[in-house]
Amino acid sequence: MFETLILILDATLRVSTPLILAALAGLFSERAGIVDIGLEGKMLGGAFAAAAAASVFGSAWIGLGFAIIASVGLALVHGFACITHRGDHIVSGVAINTVVAGLTITLGLDWFSMGGQTPALSGDERFFAITLPFADALADVPVIGLIYSELISGHNILVYLAFALVPATYWVVFKTRFGLRLRAVGENPHAVDTAGISVAFIRYRAVIICGVLCGIAGAYLSTAHNAGFLKDMSAGKGYMALAALIFGKWRPVPVMFACLLFGFLDAVAVRMQGVVVPGIGEIPVQAIEVLPYVLTVLLLAGFIGKAVGPKAVGRPYVKERA
């Protein structure tokens, strides 16, 4: 029983990683007042760029670099539409998601002729699990050994990076001058402008950080969690990350726990496939797979209490004339 729990928690960490990265990306964007429905598209674009580049150049690190470049490019498009031209944030985000969903398949067909997929990745083309010091030696130690060798050790570097970015994000957003300005831009951009600070510059920096984190999330999906790119492989994770962001009320640590909750449900769903429940019988696979998404809808429907975001989020900023 304990071993099964550890295995579920181990899977939870892996499944939660792209959610955490995308949710932190959304946190930077929305704290600056930019609604980013396009997390899904940037993650998907990053996943394709990472897998394609890793396949061509034979390096997962090069793939990660291309994923970040692709995602930041999409983030700048979103910023150009919403910040420079004061366009509708939701429309821009949905447009990015729609374009990327079609573009990745089209490029995949043209470049690799594999039905929109990339070639299977292996060797240096992927990020593999890292065995931490003494993990093998402690594996037979009761309780502690299993926790250390199975739960803490054995993940790839992007998993550890995602969890390390949580306290780093807290420090940046709440303990630095940039974080103070970021939050101020999301709450009262006119006051920031009056202080002589460029609102557009702060917001562009926020969407670039958002693009970087989404690129890492996308690279994780295709070069670490999976061995290549598949059609629509982000599978709504960008929207779930947005739900976790609201659930966590735009604060890094609660956002991480919300992502872990979604990841835990996903991991449990996988483990329960084919399980026969007394009096009910075998639970349909579809009913289990839909659980994380049902929870997302319930949370967004208001079962978490009132979540109040930054006051200026989603509102175009028009500089006041003297």
Side-chain angles (χ1 to χ4, degrees), residues 2 6-7 31 58 105 112 136 161 193 198 201:
F2 180 70
I6 293 297
L7 292 175
R31 278 286 183 177
I105 298 172
F112 303 107
D136 294 333
L161 175 63
D193 187 42
S198 172
F201 182 56

Side-chain angles (χ1 to χ4, degrees), residues 111-199:
W111 293 352
F112 303 107
S113 302
M114 298 180 64
Q117 303 179 16
T118 60
L121 304 178
S122 60
D124 292 338
E125 299 169 350
R126 293 190 64 197
F127 290 102
F128 285 102
I130 298 172
T131 301
L132 297 179
F134 310 113
D136 294 333
L138 294 173
D140 295 329
V141 177
V143 184
I144 296 176
L146 190 63
I147 292 174
Y148 182 71
S149 62
E150 291 291 339
L151 183 59
I152 300 175
S153 178
H155 299 287
N156 64 75
I157 192 169
L158 298 185
V159 175
Y160 297 116
L161 175 63
F163 284 92
L165 284 173
V166 175
T169 297
Y170 175 84
W171 180 77
V172 169
V173 173
F174 294 101
K175 301 296 181 180
T176 66
R177 178 182 298 179
F178 168 71
L180 176 62
R181 292 176 175 178
L182 180 80
R183 288 181 284 125
V185 163
E187 294 290 341
N188 192 343
H190 291 288
V192 175
D193 187 42
T194 303
I197 301 168
S198 172
V199 172

Side-chain angles (χ1 to χ4, degrees), residues 43-82:
M43 200 187 312
L44 187 63
F48 177 79
S55 177
V56 172
F57 295 102
S59 170
W61 290 103
I62 293 178
L64 176 62
F66 272 85
I68 292 173
I69 291 171
S71 184
V72 169
L74 292 169
L76 289 174
V77 170
H78 185 58
F80 184 68
C82 300

Side-chain angles (χ1 to χ4, degrees), residues 212-239:
V212 171
L213 293 175
C214 282
I216 298 173
Y220 173 81
L221 287 176
S222 61
T223 60
H225 195 59
N226 295 284
F229 177 82
L230 302 172
K231 175 185 175 183
D232 296 329
M233 71 182 308
S234 52
K237 289 182 174 60
Y239 300 111

